[in-house]
Amino acid sequence: MAHEKLWGGRFTQPTDKFVEEFTASIQFDKRLYHQDIRGSIAHARMLGKQGIIPMADVEEIVHGLQAILDQIEAGKFDFSVSLEDIHMNIEARLSQRIGEAGKRLHTGRSRNDQVALDIRLYLRDELVEISAYLDLLIDSLIFQAEENLGVIMPGYTHLQTAQPILFSHHMLAYVEMFKRDKGRMEDCLRRMNVMPLGAGALAGTTFPIDREHVAELLDFPEVTRNSLDSVSDRDFALEFMGAASILMMHLSRFSEELILWSTSEFRFIELSDSFCTGSSIMPQKKNPDVPELVRGKTGRVYGNLMALLTVMKSLPLAYNKDMQEDKEPLFDTIDTVKGSLKIFADMIRELRVNSQTMRQAAAKGFSTATDVADYLVRKGMPFRDAHEVVGKAVRYCVENGKELPELAMTEWHLFSARIDEDIREAITLEASVNARAATGGTALERVKEEIERVKAGK
Ligand code: ARG
């Protein structure tokens, strides 16, 4: 209905039905209802304090908005597509409820600064939640690191056996990544936490508003400094989506490892049944659906970032309707990241480690070859020569179907006279791991210290 529109004055023809639907955002921006009402209440209070609208109207507006909030939360609010978005749905309903006073709410404000405020308020809360989910996941990783302290697995480069490492060290590698992800979310929050209301449509407003007061009411430490930028900036959303993409990349790498480790070829771990599904045809199957899906969902989070970057890339200042396209990718990213983190935190906590299989795998593939070379260096041989000597010993082992610890002293002496009985002790898995004892290394003592450090939140 044309008369329903809040901007109907300029128009003589009603909007085409399909155009209405095509241009509306209420289908997805209704999730901003809480932030929209919160922002409107702060705006109304400020208008009252500044004497721009009567205090009596402010009271009516605040009560009216609170009633609408209750109605929405009770699922009793009828959202209307012809009212386009959440801002106009709420404002129109307010005027229906309280009349004149409701029609004064939009004084000194535009939907352009209103939506900039609402998204910031929304994302701000979500960032806090995402950080909390990251903490849960970090806790699960620390739990596994402690549960399996001392378990040795093969460490890889190029997915080829490289050197033995502690399983706990591997878990702590992800702790480091997720801690940085948390840091990126916090950085993003800091830059986003600036109050844009008061920018009006683009140039500011003619009314004597008090932006700092609105910021205070809404818990923003500062206000934006340029009205054009306030209504046209979406880099805070892009920054979040960039950080979310990196976070999903980490989850995806981890997923890949979990999938690989649970194959019958590896059998390093067992995922809990509750995170897997069976096959409708192959009775033996237990598929790692959860990590597979998280790996897959990484694609949409990257896609969302590219979508919004592309939406923004050639927009002239200030607001353009294109920017309404910010919401779906942003909301989808938030939902996907939260869901992935939550499910990962639970799945990691319930994961079972086959320490024997890991250990056996670590003992294969000449994983201690570097330790033999380092041993020779300690006996006075230059590293490059030692590398050559051990290379030959490995070739000998390959040809004779042996592993390095199986060589007899006479065989060792085919490669170097410097090798003594003490080579045996030097190339056990434990010795190999514990020899890597500088900060950041896989030695048990270092790993224990790191567990304590991350537990203390450092
Ligand atoms: N629904 C719009 C959006 O999400 C709100 C801002 C609309 N402003 C305007 N001038 N049409 O971007």
Side-chain angles (χ1 to χ4, degrees):
M1 280 175 286
H3 68 261
E4 202 187 18
K5 298 269 186 284
L6 298 184
W7 40 254
R10 158 90 173 69
F11 290 74
T12 52
Q13 302 266 310
T15 322
D16 176 274
K17 261 286 154 222
F18 184 66
V19 170
E20 227 172 54
E21 250 173 64
F22 188 83
T23 54
S25 55
I26 187 65
Q27 307 88 327
F28 45 85
D29 69 11
K30 55 170 161 243
R31 71 156 90 184
L32 296 173
Y33 73 89
H34 199 281
Q35 290 71 21
D36 197 71
I37 289 175
R38 190 170 171 216
S40 287
I41 289 177
H43 179 66
R45 291 223 152 99
M46 179 279 289
L47 291 177
K49 177 182 89 74
Q50 298 297 97
I52 301 169
I53 65 172
M55 268 305 181
D57 284 3
V58 176
E59 287 317 309
E60 277 190 68
I61 290 172
V62 171
H63 285 131
L65 286 171
Q66 269 155 357
I68 290 173
L69 179 64
D70 292 343
Q71 218 183 9
I72 296 176
E73 292 194 323
K76 293 198 184 109
F77 189 97
D78 238 344
F79 293 101
S80 153
V81 168
S82 61
L83 285 168
E84 200 176 316
D85 57 24
I86 187 64
H87 324 294
M88 292 198 291
N89 265 269
I90 290 175
E91 196 194 325
R93 182 63 50 87
L94 182 69
S95 300
Q96 267 172 27
R97 284 184 82 104
I98 66 170
E100 280 284 283
K103 293 199 245 167
R104 293 194 215 281
L105 169 63
H106 211 49
T107 312
R109 183 176 75 169
S110 151
R111 271 186 299 152
N112 297 351
D113 56 351
Q114 190 178 356
V115 73
L117 172 69
D118 290 5
I119 310 174
R120 279 175 161 86
L121 284 171
Y122 183 79
L123 190 52
R124 199 167 72 165
D125 292 344
E126 293 293 336
L127 279 174
V128 173
E129 266 196 52
I130 288 172
S131 275
Y133 278 123
L134 275 164
D135 280 335
L136 281 183
L137 176 55
I138 289 171
D139 283 351
S140 295
L141 287 160
I142 296 173
F143 170 78
Q144 287 294 349
E146 283 196 300
E147 277 289 298
N148 297 287
L149 205 59
V151 171
I152 295 178
M153 67 180 285
Y156 298 91
T157 63
H158 315 265
L159 200 55
Q160 307 288 318
T161 302
Q163 290 167 357
I165 56 170
L166 291 185
F167 172 77
S168 307
H169 195 52
H170 203 113
M171 293 299 103
L172 292 181
Y174 283 106
V175 170
E176 291 301 307
M177 292 176 237
F178 294 129
K179 275 173 58 191
R180 287 195 297 276
D181 288 325
K182 218 183 135 195
R184 269 182 281 274
M185 294 298 165
E186 285 159 6
D187 288 349
C188 175
L189 180 61
R190 208 168 314 125
R191 261 184 297 281
M192 188 183 60
N193 205 10
V194 184
M195 209 289 297
L197 206 65
L202 77 164
T205 173
T206 57
F207 296 97
I209 56 171
D210 181 350
R211 299 187 61 210
E212 283 72 14
H213 183 62
V214 176
E216 209 177 293
L217 292 176
L218 295 173
D219 225 5
F220 282 96
E222 32 180 351
V223 301
T224 53
R225 311 304 307 183
N226 181 293
S227 62
L228 293 171
D229 178 50
S230 307
V231 291
S232 62
D233 160 42
R234 292 294 180 271
D235 31 294
F236 64 90
L238 288 167
E239 201 176 333
F240 162 69
M241 289 159 88
S245 295
I246 297 175
L247 160 57
M248 288 303 290
M249 178 272 290
H250 290 151
L251 283 177
S252 184
R253 294 183 76 172
F254 198 7
S255 295
E256 175 67 17
E257 295 196 318
L258 297 173
I259 293 163
L260 193 67
W261 292 350
S262 48
T263 58
S264 57
E265 288 78 5
F266 271 79
R267 283 217 186 288
F268 282 5
I269 58 160
E270 184 132 8
L271 295 172
S272 155
D273 282 0
S274 45
F275 293 90
C276 297
T277 64
S279 154
S280 54
I281 170 167
M282 297 165 284
Q284 84 282 13
K285 293 273 278 204
K286 178 174 157 186
N287 295 327
D289 295 49
V290 168
E292 287 177 287
L293 264 178
V294 170
R295 188 177 56 181
K297 284 179 190 292
T298 304
R300 63 201 271 172
V301 172
Y302 292 2
N304 289 338
L305 170 64
M306 288 319 294
L308 186 55
L309 278 172
T310 312
V311 165
M312 298 303 294
K313 74 177 268 289
S314 13
L315 295 185
L317 301 187
Y319 179 84
N320 299 267
K321 182 77 167 181
D322 314 44
M323 288 159 69
Q324 181 167 289
E325 287 290 303
D326 61 355
K327 285 168 209 63
E328 285 161 293
L330 176 64
F331 295 160
D332 184 66
T333 298
I334 292 170
D335 296 345
T336 305
V337 164
K338 271 169 48 179
S340 302
L341 285 172
K342 176 176 160 37
I343 207 158
F344 242 79
D346 294 342
M347 181 176 63
I348 295 306
R349 190 163 276 274
E350 288 187 29
L351 172 134
R352 280 205 20 252
V353 172
N354 296 331
S355 50
Q356 275 315 310
T357 323
M358 279 193 187
R359 191 182 172 89
Q360 281 157 15
K364 282 190 265 172
F366 315 105
S367 64
T368 53
T370 319
D371 299 279
V372 180
D374 290 353
Y375 168 92
L376 286 169
V377 168
R378 286 196 298 274
K379 299 266 166 164
M381 191 182 283
F383 182 77
R384 274 293 149 228
D385 296 340
H387 187 283
E388 171 85 15
V389 165
V390 182
K392 286 182 177 148
V394 167
R395 199 171 67 212
Y396 175 89
C397 285
V398 172
E399 284 163 1
N400 293 280
K402 291 189 169 187
E403 285 289 335
L404 290 167
E406 292 163 6
L407 292 180
M409 204 39 65
T410 47
E411 291 174 299
W412 277 122
H413 287 156
L414 296 173
F415 308 104
S416 171
R418 296 185 206 239
I419 298 177
D420 292 316
E421 273 301 328
D422 59 350
I423 186 72
R424 309 218 177 277
E425 179 45 39
I427 63 170
T428 63
L429 293 179
E430 272 73 16
S432 171
V433 163
N434 289 327
R436 287 165 173 81
T439 307
T442 193
L444 183 61
E445 281 315 304
R446 289 293 89 74
V447 168
K448 279 186 188 160
E449 281 168 19
E450 284 307 307
I451 290 176
E452 289 317 313
R453 197 179 61 85
V454 290
K455 274 169 80 176
K458 282 182 224 145

